[in-house]
Every structure is written in structure tokens, then in C-alpha cells.
Amino acid sequence: MTADLSGTVSLVTGAARGIGQAIADRLAANGSTVYYTDLDAGQSEAAAAKTPNGRGLKLDVTDTADVASVIAGITADHGRLDLLVNNAGINTATDRKPIDGYSRDDWDRILTVDLTAVFEMSKAAAAVMRTQGRGRIVNIASIAGLVPLRLQSGFVAAKAGVVNLTKSMALELGPHGILVNGIAPGSILTVGTRQLFYGDGGGYKESARRMLDHVPLGRPGTVDEIAVAALFLADPENTYMNGHILVVDGGWTAGYTRDF
């Protein structure tokens, strides 16, 4: 799909790779000036350099001062911020444990990046958008925030928080012309998931096979399929969707697909 985003200014967090980069690429291809932000400045700049509409910036979403500085800089340069995509997020990679063995360090780390940073980024962006009387915020949640998964309580709690934070912001900001929506991806094929789940040497290869038995489409999604959903929510013609969580999971959470 295409959308006319010419003249708009967008900021995508975690945009140096994976889902974030695909979303930023899609927004830029449709005319938006896009700030590719990530903790790694070099990778942000390299990702942004692939499109004339891209601008690469280092951004630590857990640093409130850094968040304020980046938002202020973009606003100073353009006089506006039309779209924020809160994509940056983490999870435990290989050491997944039940709640009684779950590390407090992992809990704090994941909640800080996956939930508190969404709050701080949205808070800073909303102040700009409220002044200009319009804007869009898209939060990348997860189906784990809707249907909890085992052995990743920090991630599940954080993404459930993102789901309801999205809805809360939609209630507060909608009257000011700001639409707030979310996307809940299922299992998406990235460099990380390929190594963990879908590669020959993946430590969770068998778990991934069992998981895909529950996905009607029988495969993981692609980063471009999430990017299309983000573009749909960013489309200026999409004017009455607010507080919605768009599930993109191949039907995983639609119901049981096994024969009983």
C-alpha cells in the first residue's frame, strides 16, 4: 500500500534494524522525513543513509534528558513532529525462566526499555503534538501483551502495559487531534528470531515448530508485514481509528487450530 506522507516528520525508535528499520523505510518511501533513532549512532546513520528522506540519530530511550533533547532538536529543525513510532524493545534471549526463577535484573531492564521508555517518548512527543493540534503515536506491543506466554513474565507485563497505555493515551490525546494506536506482532522473522527459533542451530527450534502449529498461515511474519500495518495507521486518510491494537500474527491468537 501507499500513503501520501509528504511534508510530514516522523521519529522511529529502534530503527537501526529489524521491525523498526522496516517501518522507517516504509514511511520514508511514502514521503515522510524520518528520523531513524537507535542506541547505536553508526547503525542509525547507516540505516537512514539508504533513503534521501532518512536522518540517523543516536537515542537512548531510557535517558529522559536524551529523549527531551532529540524531540526538541527535531522540533527546532522542522517546527513539528507528526508521527512517533515507539518500536525500541528488548526481551530475554536464551535464559527464559518461570516467575520463581526470573531475575529481578531482567525484570527491571525489560520494563525500563519496553514500557517506561514508551511513556517517556510519548510524553515528550505529545507535548509537541498537543501544541500543533495534530499527530500520531504508534506503539509496537506484542501478542504477548494480549495472550500471555510462559517463561517471559517481564516481557509479557511490559507489553500488556503498552497495550493499556496506548488506550489510555488515546482517551487523553484524541480530543487534541492526536491518534494513538498500537500494533501487536506475533512471531516475526528477524536476525534475532532466525538465530533463536528458525535457524538450524536455534536453541528454540523445536519450540518454534510447535508454535507454528498454532499459526493458521504456518509461518512467521516478516518485518515488512509489520511495516505495512504501521503505514496504515500513519496514513492521513485513516482518521477515525484511535485506541486500537492492530494484531498482525497470521491468526495465531484467533483461536485453536489443532485437532482435538
Side-chain angles (χ1 to χ4, degrees):
M1 66 171 289
T2 60
D4 184 5
L5 300 180
S6 55
T8 66
V9 178
S10 303
L11 187 162
V12 183
T13 67
R17 63 189 67 82
I19 290 173
Q21 183 178 0
I23 291 173
D25 288 347
R26 183 73 61 151
L27 297 174
N30 282 270
S32 187
T33 296
V34 183
Y35 282 84
Y36 290 62
T37 69
D38 203 279
L39 195 57
D40 188 312
Q43 291 188 5
S44 296
E45 292 168 1
K50 296 175 183 178
T51 170
N53 293 346
R55 310 285 187 271
L57 284 180
K58 177 184 179 298
L59 172 60
D60 181 353
V61 294
T62 69
D63 184 331
T64 305
D66 202 16
V67 168
S69 176
V70 166
I71 296 289
I74 293 172
T75 306
D77 287 345
H78 300 277
R80 60 194 296 167
L81 176 61
D82 300 287
L83 172 65
L84 167 66
V85 180
N86 284 307
N87 166 75
I90 58 174
N91 194 1
T92 50
T94 58
D95 192 24
R96 296 186 175 179
K97 294 181 178 180
I99 184 67
D100 53 309
Y102 201 87
S103 162
R104 175 59 187 268
D105 288 342
D106 279 346
W107 174 273
D108 289 342
R109 182 173 57 91
I110 291 170
L111 266 290
T112 297
V113 176
D114 290 10
L115 180 57
T116 303
V118 173
F119 163 76
E120 293 289 359
M121 288 296 306
S122 299
K123 179 179 179 181
V128 175
M129 294 176 180
R130 187 192 291 261
T131 299
Q132 64 195 25
R134 63 190 181 280
R136 305 283 176 99
I137 298 176
V138 176
N139 297 324
I140 306 302
S142 168
I143 59 100
L146 300 170
V147 181
L149 306 176
R150 298 175 299 149
L151 306 180
Q152 38 193 315
S153 53
F155 183 73
V156 166
K159 292 304 185 179
V162 170
V163 166
N164 272 339
L165 177 60
T166 299
K167 295 179 179 182
S168 175
M169 288 196 296
L171 295 175
E172 296 172 359
L173 299 177
H176 301 279
I178 305 165
L179 304 183
V180 187
N181 294 289
I183 299 172
S187 187
I188 304 301
L189 189 60
T190 64
V191 172
T193 58
R194 188 185 299 276
Q195 291 173 346
L196 279 176
F197 301 116
Y198 302 113
D200 291 337
Y204 292 90
K205 182 179 179 181
E206 181 57 29
S207 297
R209 187 196 63 77
R210 293 196 304 270
M211 176 194 70
L212 290 178
D213 286 344
H214 290 278
V215 178
L217 298 189
R219 63 170 177 84
T222 69
V223 294
D224 287 333
E225 286 169 321
I226 305 303
V228 167
L231 181 63
F232 170 67
L233 294 176
D235 190 337
E237 294 189 3
N238 185 357
T239 56
Y240 203 61
M241 182 173 286
N242 189 36
H244 181 70
I245 306 299
L246 185 58
V247 178
V248 186
D249 69 349
W252 185 1
T253 58
Y256 291 108
T257 59
R258 283 185 175 179
D259 292 329
F260 286 91

